[in-house]
Amino acid sequence: MSRQHASMPGVEQFDEYFHKNPAPKSLSKHQALTREFVQFHLESSPNRRIALVTSGGTTVPLENQTVRFIDNFSAGTRGATSAEYFLEAGYAVIFLHRQFSLLPYSRHYSHSTNCFLDFMEEHDGDDERVVVRKEYQEKMRRVLHQYQLAKKNRLLLLLPFTTVTDYLFQLRSLAVSMQPLGERALFYLAAAVSDFFIPRERMEEHKIQSREDHAGGQGAGASRQLVINLDPVPKFLSTLVHSWAPKGSMIVSFKLETDPALLVAKAEQALKRYQHDLVIGNLLTTRKWEVVFITRNGGERWLRVPKARRSKSISGVEELVGKAERKHEAQHVDLEGGTVTEGMEIESLIIPELAIMHTDMIENGK
Amino acid sequence: MSRQHASMPGVEQFDEYFHKNPAPKSLSKHQALTREFVQFHLESSPNRRIALVTSGGTTVPLENQTVRFIDNFSAGTRGATSAEYFLEAGYAVIFLHRQFSLLPYSRHYSHSTNCFLDFMEEHDGDDERVVVRKEYQEKMRRVLHQYQLAKKNRLLLLLPFTTVTDYLFQLRSLAVSMQPLGERALFYLAAAVSDFFIPRERMEEHKIQSREDHAGGQGAGASRQLVINLDPVPKFLSTLVHSWAPKGSMIVSFKLETDPALLVAKAEQALKRYQHDLVIGNLLTTRKWEVVFITRNGGERWLRVPKARRSKSISGVEELVGKAERKHEAQHVDLEGGTVTEGMEIESLIIPELAIMHTDMIENGK
């Protein structure tokens, strides 16, 4: 393995990165779980495809004992929703997600937008059992069935990460563990990965003290600024494509932009640079309703949810964590029972398309 | 109001801050909800005390259309747990919380640590209703009762924030709206508020582009760094104490440190500087089991959960979002039904103590 790696582009750069930054403690445990998961499906259903779905944002700690960190916006909706549709399409799913981001199935009842306690009531009968309210029964039964099916058939492996360094260590480990799958592996890289980080050697040990904590006398240092210097994170996609991932596997990346004028050019540039299979471009403000597929044959194809079927849910707005222009809604109002219209999820269009492309790649080669 | 403010320390500094940075869109709506909440309790139960509990970390957006931001570590456990004990102690609670952080009551079934779907099953009877599993019935009935009681009696107002600027605008607005409560108001400032921010005028409009996106030819700019310059956030506690909060109200702040050698001195320093009533000091690693009360009479009093009653739950570990040394647990294992021992919550010691101090202040004056 190491000889193969040494001759590949980017591998030396990563050797240095992995040497200088600490591996997550969970790495070997997660590796063992992944190998077992891959082996189970190789043996029990030789045609089973496995999708690695990455989801949520990475953090960049500013201190070693971390109180502050830089974060990338992502609630994990794209990843968690996509994972469900991959399962529906017959894939097994390894879900590499930011800790505390949304998870497949439970995302329907996230504690802050649809507080699940509002779905419950005490049963009138003798037994006083807590039960789900009648009006929510049908959906919850459906979600519960899918969830239990995935559990029973061992189709879903949940692995958490937090920092960008955790993420990179795990991505390499997972990709290598998936090599026995060959072309039946699919990488769906929906996580929002930081482009910058602070190397271990430059990180503060304790909480960075604010101005006043340092100031000796009154007024001293009143205009003290904090300056943070970040290094670029090595670009992993090329190394994933050429070294870590199984030969012949399908690799899909995302490009999120805020400026519509840049989106398609940026997506094309990424595809050309990394030589993988598909870039899915999306804009921060419209990502729930439209995405663009950029493929190697020069295609630019838009997928859109019809206007009449777009969700009227407030969650689309609320999820824009930190967005300066978002509309706040007091959750007080929700507790009184707001109405949420369920729309069509764009992932229900994306994943079946990918499954077809994947089949085509397996049958006809790349 | 403005004349009073103009003569108070720190107010000019905040006038400038509030002038130069944009108010959250929800501000007037939240203000109206708060006034109505305060008025309702003033009229219906003249002795009702109201606690403003702040919870979760603030963000500092790096871009105006935000993709990246600096965050302060906080899942909101302290705030959400404390709010429940304030309600139990007879307070009405305004819960000013970071969007998506933990909420009172629903925190017991957060979607990532205790996935609530694991608590559900289909009933065997004719009706095929989804019900709560027998072994979880008792706790869920208790939580549901408390939640419904708080809703029915309008004892809990949930108001979200995201950025540090949102937080400061709302804190001022809430404090001023609470002035009719006088000494019956209590401020419990458990939120982790950023000490630094980027002024609106220096913020990038669009997503900051990474190295490669700028590089014209291959290899150009390979070592490009990102430098972030942050200004200090004006210190709000003094202004809250002397200008915004009702006269005679009780004000409690927190001091979180990672270095045990600094904790007590830092807490004492804060109390002396801001002239409020109580600083609760806690260390990142032991904050679930011990805190120290620093009071104006020179007291240093430790509250501790007895060793035998400390929670064995993994959530204490898992919550250390981004902590480099944390132990990751694959959530896969949890899905199979991990055992969680419920321990005593230190907030069950903190809040009754505060209620006694508050009574004493009301009866005997500050």
Side-chain angles (χ1 to χ4, degrees):
Chain A
M1 191 68 67
S2 60
R3 261 180 305 169
Q4 184 202 348
H5 277 190
S7 64
M8 290 299 181
V11 167
E12 292 89 349
Q13 200 183 6
F14 270 102
D15 282 347
E16 197 192 329
Y17 181 90
F18 288 129
H19 180 69
K20 285 197 170 169
N21 293 284
K25 283 200 173 165
S26 56
L27 189 65
S28 60
K29 185 174 166 190
H30 287 190
Q31 193 174 56
L33 286 168
T34 305
R35 285 185 179 158
E36 199 189 341
F37 187 80
V38 168
Q39 201 54 39
F40 172 79
H41 288 293
L42 278 174
E43 285 169 11
S44 61
S45 34
N47 291 316
R48 175 78 70 194
R49 303 177 192 171
I50 298 186
L52 171 64
V53 175
T54 72
S55 184
T58 63
T59 69
V60 177
L62 303 184
E63 300 127 338
N64 206 9
Q65 295 207 41
T66 304
V67 173
R68 300 188 182 88
F69 51 89
I70 296 178
D71 205 336
N72 275 43
F73 147 70
S74 176
T77 314
R78 178 80 81 209
T81 310
S82 299
E84 290 182 20
Y85 288 105
F86 272 116
L87 288 160
E88 202 174 305
Y91 284 76
V93 172
I94 300 172
F95 191 66
L96 182 64
H97 64 284
R98 161 72 173 275
Q99 198 174 30
F100 301 122
S101 64
L102 294 177
L103 298 176
Y105 306 120
S106 75
R107 74 178 171 101
H108 297 279
Y109 306 96
S110 141
H111 66 277
S112 41
T113 42
N114 292 338
C115 174
F116 94 94
L117 287 170
D118 287 318
F119 292 78
M120 312 303 287
E121 65 182 4
E122 272 195 78
H123 195 252
D124 282 339
D126 314 328
D127 53 356
E128 292 197 333
R129 282 191 102 171
V130 178
V131 300
V132 174
R133 283 176 196 277
K134 210 158 202 157
E135 58 268 42
Y136 303 116
Q137 280 285 336
E138 194 189 319
K139 181 177 175 187
M140 199 175 287
R141 194 182 306 115
R142 206 170 59 236
V143 172
L144 190 62
H145 276 177
Q146 291 170 337
Y147 173 70
Q148 289 174 341
L149 200 70
K151 265 177 73 168
K152 203 182 81 187
N153 297 319
R154 299 182 60 183
L155 289 166
L156 178 59
L157 178 62
L158 304 177
L159 301 174
F161 67 81
T162 305
T163 71
V164 64
T165 302
D166 286 0
Y167 176 83
L168 292 172
F169 267 102
Q170 294 209 57
L171 183 65
R172 178 178 66 169
S173 159
L174 287 170
V176 172
S177 300
M178 288 168 75
Q179 288 191 355
L181 292 165
E183 61 199 2
R184 273 174 292 133
L186 186 150
F187 293 79
Y188 184 83
L189 306 169
V193 183
S194 176
D195 294 315
F196 301 98
F197 80 117
I198 301 179
R200 173 72 166 225
E201 66 214 34
R202 285 214 313 269
M203 210 183 293
E204 305 257 355
E205 179 60 25
H206 284 292
K207 184 180 172 190
I208 298 168
Q209 297 298 328
S210 71
R211 163 179 57 109
E212 62 158 15
D213 295 319
H214 277 311
Q218 69 258 55
S223 63
R224 182 168 174 261
Q225 285 203 332
L226 178 67
V227 178
I228 303 170
N229 274 289
L230 298 145
D231 282 3
V233 169
K235 291 291 169 185
F236 64 86
L237 198 44
S238 173
T239 314
L240 177 73
V241 172
H242 296 292
S243 306
W244 302 340
K247 280 212 175 91
S249 59
M250 180 170 176
I251 300 183
V252 181
S253 74
F254 279 82
K255 197 79 184 165
L256 176 71
E257 292 292 336
T258 61
D259 186 350
L262 295 177
L263 180 64
V264 169
K266 282 299 184 56
E268 287 174 344
Q269 198 182 25
L271 193 70
K272 200 175 153 199
R273 179 171 294 124
Y274 303 118
Q275 301 282 308
H276 56 307
D277 303 295
L278 176 67
V279 176
I280 301 180
N282 56 153
L283 290 167
L284 188 61
T285 47
T286 62
R287 69 198 190 289
K288 303 258 175 192
W289 312 303
E290 61 176 21
V291 299
V292 58
F293 275 30
I294 304 291
T295 51
R296 284 207 279 188
N297 58 21
E300 170 188 333
R301 192 147 51 93
W302 289 85
L303 297 188
R304 290 192 178 92
V305 173
K307 243 188 181 145
R309 303 213 43 200
R310 291 178 189 174
S311 170
K312 303 287 183 301
S313 149
I314 53 159
S315 69
V317 176
E318 290 231 319
E319 242 179 83
L320 297 176
V321 179
K323 188 167 187 301
E325 295 304 307
R326 83 201 165 288
K327 293 182 215 126
H328 264 314
E329 296 289 333
Q331 290 174 338
H332 180 73
V333 175
D334 283 345
L335 291 182
E336 306 304 324
T339 52
V340 175
T341 312
E342 295 215 20
M344 175 190 272
E345 295 174 317
I346 193 163
E347 292 80 5
S348 72
L349 303 175
I350 295 173
I351 310 308
E353 278 296 312
L354 293 187
I356 291 169
M357 289 173 69
H358 195 188
T359 302
D360 186 56
M361 279 176 53
I362 291 172
E363 289 175 357
N364 305 311
K366 280 207 182 188
Chain B
M1 191 69 66
S2 60
R3 261 180 304 168
Q4 183 202 348
H5 276 190
S7 64
M8 290 298 180
V11 166
E12 292 90 348
Q13 199 184 5
F14 270 102
D15 282 347
E16 197 192 328
Y17 182 90
F18 288 129
H19 180 70
K20 285 197 171 169
N21 293 284
K25 284 200 172 165
S26 55
L27 189 64
S28 60
K29 185 173 166 190
H30 286 190
Q31 193 174 56
L33 286 168
T34 304
R35 285 185 179 159
E36 199 188 340
F37 187 80
V38 168
Q39 201 55 40
F40 172 79
H41 288 293
L42 278 174
E43 285 169 11
S44 61
S45 34
N47 291 317
R48 176 77 71 193
R49 303 178 192 171
I50 299 187
L52 170 64
V53 175
T54 71
S55 184
T58 63
T59 68
V60 177
L62 303 183
E63 299 126 339
N64 205 9
Q65 295 208 40
T66 304
V67 173
R68 300 188 184 88
F69 51 88
I70 297 178
D71 205 336
N72 275 44
F73 145 72
S74 176
T77 314
R78 177 80 80 208
T81 310
S82 298
E84 290 180 19
Y85 288 105
F86 273 116
L87 288 160
E88 202 174 304
Y91 284 76
V93 172
I94 300 173
F95 191 66
L96 181 65
H97 63 284
R98 161 72 173 276
Q99 199 175 29
F100 301 121
S101 64
L102 295 177
L103 298 176
Y105 305 120
S106 75
R107 74 177 171 104
H108 297 280
Y109 306 96
S110 141
H111 67 277
S112 42
T113 43
N114 292 338
C115 174
F116 94 95
L117 288 169
D118 287 318
F119 292 77
M120 312 301 286
E121 67 182 3
E122 273 196 76
H123 194 252
D124 282 339
D126 314 328
D127 54 354
E128 293 197 334
R129 283 191 101 168
V130 178
V131 299
V132 174
R133 284 176 197 277
K134 210 157 202 159
E135 59 270 41
Y136 303 116
Q137 280 285 336
E138 194 190 318
K139 181 178 175 186
M140 198 175 289
R141 194 182 306 115
R142 205 170 60 234
V143 172
L144 190 62
H145 277 176
Q146 291 171 337
Y147 174 70
Q148 289 174 340
L149 199 71
K151 266 177 73 168
K152 204 183 79 188
N153 297 319
R154 299 181 61 183
L155 289 167
L156 178 59
L157 177 63
L158 304 177
L159 301 173
F161 67 81
T162 305
T163 70
V164 63
T165 302
D166 287 0
Y167 176 83
L168 292 172
F169 268 102
Q170 294 209 58
L171 184 65
R172 177 178 66 169
S173 160
L174 286 170
V176 171
S177 300
M178 288 168 75
Q179 288 192 355
L181 292 165
E183 62 198 2
R184 272 174 294 133
L186 185 149
F187 292 78
Y188 184 82
L189 306 168
V193 183
S194 176
D195 295 314
F196 301 97
F197 80 115
I198 302 178
R200 173 71 166 227
E201 66 214 34
R202 285 214 314 268
M203 211 183 293
E204 305 257 354
E205 180 60 24
H206 285 293
K207 184 181 172 189
I208 298 168
Q209 297 298 328
S210 70
R211 162 180 59 110
E212 61 159 17
D213 296 319
H214 277 310
Q218 69 258 55
S223 64
R224 183 166 172 262
Q225 284 203 331
L226 178 66
V227 179
I228 303 169
N229 274 289
L230 298 145
D231 283 2
V233 168
K235 291 291 168 185
F236 64 86
L237 197 44
S238 172
T239 314
L240 177 73
V241 172
H242 296 291
S243 306
W244 302 340
K247 280 212 174 89
S249 59
M250 179 170 176
I251 300 183
V252 181
S253 74
F254 279 82
K255 197 79 184 164
L256 176 71
E257 292 291 335
T258 61
D259 187 348
L262 295 177
L263 180 63
V264 169
K266 283 298 185 57
E268 287 173 344
Q269 197 182 26
L271 194 70
K272 200 175 153 198
R273 179 169 295 124
Y274 303 118
Q275 301 281 307
H276 55 308
D277 303 295
L278 175 68
V279 177
I280 301 180
N282 56 152
L283 290 167
L284 188 61
T285 47
T286 61
R287 68 199 191 289
K288 304 258 175 191
W289 312 304
E290 60 175 20
V291 299
V292 58
F293 275 30
I294 304 291
T295 51
R296 284 208 279 187
N297 57 21
E300 169 188 334
R301 193 147 50 92
W302 289 86
L303 298 187
R304 290 193 179 92
V305 173
K307 242 188 182 145
R309 303 214 41 200
R310 291 178 190 173
S311 170
K312 302 289 183 300
S313 148
I314 54 159
S315 69
V317 176
E318 289 231 318
E319 241 181 82
L320 298 175
V321 179
K323 189 167 187 301
E325 296 304 307
R326 82 201 165 289
K327 291 182 216 127
H328 264 316
E329 295 290 332
Q331 290 174 338
H332 181 73
V333 176
D334 284 345
L335 291 181
E336 305 306 323
T339 52
V340 175
T341 312
E342 296 215 20
M344 175 191 271
E345 294 175 318
I346 194 164
E347 292 79 6
S348 72
L349 303 176
I350 295 174
I351 310 310
E353 277 296 313
L354 293 187
I356 291 169
M357 288 174 69
H358 195 187
T359 302
D360 185 55
M361 279 176 53
I362 291 173
E363 289 175 356
N364 305 312
K366 280 206 184 191

